[in-house]
């Protein structure tokens, strides 16, 4: 699973630190790219803005997407990902504090592959992140490259 | 004395026949405010005596009065050659078409509706006084027979009178319709306001769910990180402080979840269907047993209890009630929890009963308030929102919920649907 990359979309630096800590704690040493708002996420994925000219052969194995984000919110980001041929099949896991029915419905409606509520309890949170890492980096079969 | 109106009002006498002193006073004030002289009589008999003593310009009479009602009084006036030219206005609720026919039959000139619309009442009196002379000139007494709702009525009113009465009836109906439309508009505005308030509440609970959880996760996560990474540099008291911070964040998380559930229970749409409460109770009891297999609890669940309600909401209600029974029997080595139904005054009363810690009936009223707890959290954990949730669910089903209990002698929770 070396070389495989996670794109973490998270505007809250505490949650970012906790997620990274949880991954490290479970020896998931893959590179984690952090995007702090919706616009930056799209810039990274499409090689635009601050990420113009990046190596576009490198794509994340999975996107961990928060819903409540500055500029573009998570659902909007998800719609743009699904609307573009380069990312339409990219695995996206919504990782959010919200358990509102409407958020869950919209998440699936606009093509999320999974929806996980961040547990408040850190032990549970660590476990959730560990399982997500293992599942998406090891067990999940990603869409074929070069399409 | 500059206008004819002014001349007409001054000194004109109006007789009010009304048995309610407050209503008579209200009418009197309106009329005196316009310069009329007003005499009040408490029933038809007194009114008739007053008319004989002094002939008023107009009579305004209530219908339902003791001794002699408005119809009878009006008929007496109209059948007296001396008095029949006095215009009579009957005060009615116009709730029955029979009112109109009876009004015509007794020879009434006009209808006015209670409660009085001041402007309309005064314009009616003006109109009647203005047409007084016209009325006197027409003396055709043709009888007409009308059958209404199996009753035969003989009407001898003149054409002017009949027209006036019918027009005033129609005007009252139009007026009532206008009032109704105004009220409908007000209702629509209120509904819109309520919908807006509801939306606001929804976005509020969304913020609660998202925004309060995030900092809590930080408190929880970093206090645990501190314990994990710096345990060797903290003494026992330092660790204890951190454990308390950590535990408090978990309690708060539970509170937020419960509050959100409570608001969800109030907001969501209800889908009524036939719900097998016995099956629900069995499932809940089985889950509880699985969570604490070592406990000795006898669950007695009556079979075949079916009720009409929202399955999701009733499940939450039973989960809370049976869960409470499970929790408050946790100190007993052997416990008994019962779910059943009894009939009280022809109504199905469902109940969940346990033989656990119980409660003091003096605090029975506090049980269903949000955040109300009758036991220390160290003794029995909880947020104090469960029974508030139960109450909301039962109220949404238009039912009632109450409790009976005694300290150390168990508790019983009853509800209707």
């Amino acid at each position: 699973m070396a070389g495989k990359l996670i794109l973490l979309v998270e505007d809250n630096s505490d949650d970012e630190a906790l997620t990274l800590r949880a991954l490290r704690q479970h020896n998931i040493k893959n590179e984690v790219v952090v995007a702090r708002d919706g616009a930056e996420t799209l810039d990274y994925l499409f090689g635009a803005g601050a990420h113009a000219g990046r190596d576009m052969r490198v794509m994340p194995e999975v996107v961990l997407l928060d819903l409540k984000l500055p500029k573009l919110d998570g659902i909007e980001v998800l719609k743009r990902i699904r609307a573009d041929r380069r990312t339409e099949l990219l695995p996206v896991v919504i990782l959010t504090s919200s358990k509102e029915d409407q958020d869950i419905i919209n998440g699936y409606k606009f093509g999320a592959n999974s929806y996980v509520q961040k547990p408040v309890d850190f032990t549970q949170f660590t476990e959730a992140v560990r399982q997500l890492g293992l599942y998406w980096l090891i067990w999940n079969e990603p869409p074929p490259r070069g399409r | 004395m500059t206008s004819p109106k002014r001349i007409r009002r001054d000194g004109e006498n109006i007789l009010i026949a009304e048995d309610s002193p407050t209503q008579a006073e209200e009418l009197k004030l309106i009329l005196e405010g316009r310069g009329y002289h007003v005499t009040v009589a408490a029933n038809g008999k007194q009114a008739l005596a007053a008319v004989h003593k002094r002939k008023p310009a107009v009579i305004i009479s209530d219908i339902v009065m003791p001794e002699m009602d408005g119809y009878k009084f009006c008929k007496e006036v109209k059948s007296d050659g001396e008095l029949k030219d006095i215009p009579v206005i009957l005060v009615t609720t116009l709730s029955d078409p029979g009112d109109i026919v009876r009004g015509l039959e007794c020879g009434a000139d006009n209808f006015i509706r209670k409660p009085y619309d001041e402007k309309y009442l005064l314009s009616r009196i003006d109109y009647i006084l203005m047409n007084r002379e016209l009325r006197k000139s027409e003396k055709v007494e043709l009888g007409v027979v009308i059958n209404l709702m199996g009753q035969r009525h003989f009407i001898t009113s003149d054409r002017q009178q009949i027209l006036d009465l019918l027009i005033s009836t129609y005007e009252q109906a139009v007026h009532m319709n206008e009032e109704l439309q105004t009220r409908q508009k007000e209702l629509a505005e209120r509904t819109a306001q309520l919908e807006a308030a509801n939306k606001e509440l929804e976005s509020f609970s969304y913020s609660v769910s998202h925004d309060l959880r995030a900092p809590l996760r930080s408190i929880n996560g970093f206090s645990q990180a501190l314990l994990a990474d710096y345990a060797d540099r903290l003494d026992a008291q330092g660790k204890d402080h951190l454990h308390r911070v950590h535990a408090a964040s978990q309690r708060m998380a539970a509170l937020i979840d419960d509050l959100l559930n409570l608001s969800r229970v109030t907001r969501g749409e209800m889908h009524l269907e036939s719900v097998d409460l016995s099956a629900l109770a069995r499932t809940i009891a089985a889950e509880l047993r699985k969570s604490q297999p070592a406990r000795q609890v006898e669950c007695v669940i009556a079979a075949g209890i079916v009720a009409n309600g929202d399955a999701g909401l009733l499940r939450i209600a039973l989960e809370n009630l049976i869960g409470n029974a499970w929790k408050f029997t946790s100190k007993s080595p052997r416990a008994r929890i019962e779910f059943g139904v009894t009939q009280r005054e022809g109504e199905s009363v469902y109940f969940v009963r346990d033989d656990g810690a119980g409660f003091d009936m003096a605090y029975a009223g506090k049980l269903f308030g949000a955040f109300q707890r009758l036991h220390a959290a160290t003794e029995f954990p909880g947020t104090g929102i469960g029974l508030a949730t139960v109450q909301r669910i039962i109220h949404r089903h238009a039912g009632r919920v109450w409790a009976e209990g005694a300290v150390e002698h168990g508790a019983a929770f009853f509800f209707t649907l």
Side-chain angles (χ1 to χ4, degrees), chain A residues 52-112:
Chain A
R54 81 168 182 89
D55 183 356
M56 290 298 288
R57 285 169 303 177
V58 177
M59 274 305 217
E61 212 65 17
V62 63
V63 180
L64 302 180
L65 179 64
D66 194 8
L67 280 186
K68 216 178 171 192
L69 294 169
K71 297 180 196 174
L72 280 181
D73 72 19
I75 292 295
E76 202 48 47
V77 169
L78 179 59
K79 284 185 195 166
R80 305 273 182 102
I81 288 175
R82 289 296 174 247
D84 194 292
R85 216 170 162 269
R86 292 168 286 178
T87 51
E88 62 183 350
L89 301 178
L90 185 67
V92 175
V93 173
I94 291 175
L95 186 59
T96 174
S97 295
S98 164
K99 216 169 86 176
E100 281 291 301
D101 287 353
Q102 204 48 53
D103 284 338
I104 300 173
I105 290 166
N106 281 338
Y108 284 115
K109 187 191 272 176
F110 296 111

Side-chain angles (χ1 to χ4, degrees), chain B residues 1-12 34-35 37:
Chain B
M1 312 249 171
T2 47
S3 74
K5 273 188 170 181
R6 188 86 197 140
I7 297 163
R8 204 178 58 239
R9 274 172 207 141
D10 273 352
E12 292 278 23
R34 276 288 274 252
H37 285 306

Side-chain angles (χ1 to χ4, degrees), chain B residues 15-17 59-63 65 69-70 73 88-91:
Chain B
L15 175 84
I16 301 171
I59 294 169
I60 301 175
S61 174
D62 192 13
I63 291 175
M65 290 183 295
D69 72 8
F73 167 51
V88 177
I89 301 175
L90 288 179
V91 178

Side-chain angles (χ1 to χ4, degrees), chain A residues 14-15 21 68 103 121 123, chain B residues 206 211 217-218 229 250:
Chain A
D14 283 358
D15 276 2
R21 182 186 166 88
K68 216 178 171 192
D103 284 338
D121 182 79
T123 312
Chain B
Y206 179 90
D211 297 351
R217 193 163 41 249
S218 301
D229 299 352
Q250 267 164 324

Side-chain angles (χ1 to χ4, degrees), chain A residues 33-35 40-41 43-56:
Chain A
V33 175
V34 181
E40 196 190 334
T41 310
D43 281 350
Y44 178 80
L45 288 175
F46 301 133
H51 295 279
R54 81 168 182 89
D55 183 356
M56 290 298 288

Side-chain angles (χ1 to χ4, degrees), chain B residues 166-180:
Chain B
L166 290 180
I167 288 168
S168 74
T169 308
Y170 183 72
E171 277 179 341
Q172 294 289 357
V174 168
H175 195 70
M176 274 166 97
N177 202 31
E178 276 168 6
E179 274 175 24
L180 215 62

Side-chain angles (χ1 to χ4, degrees), chain A residues 126-146:
Chain A
T126 308
E127 180 59 17
V129 171
R130 184 186 75 86
Q131 287 193 20
L132 279 176
L134 286 181
Y135 180 83
W136 291 101
L137 296 175
I138 295 176
W139 296 108
N140 186 58
E141 202 61 64
R145 300 251 163 186

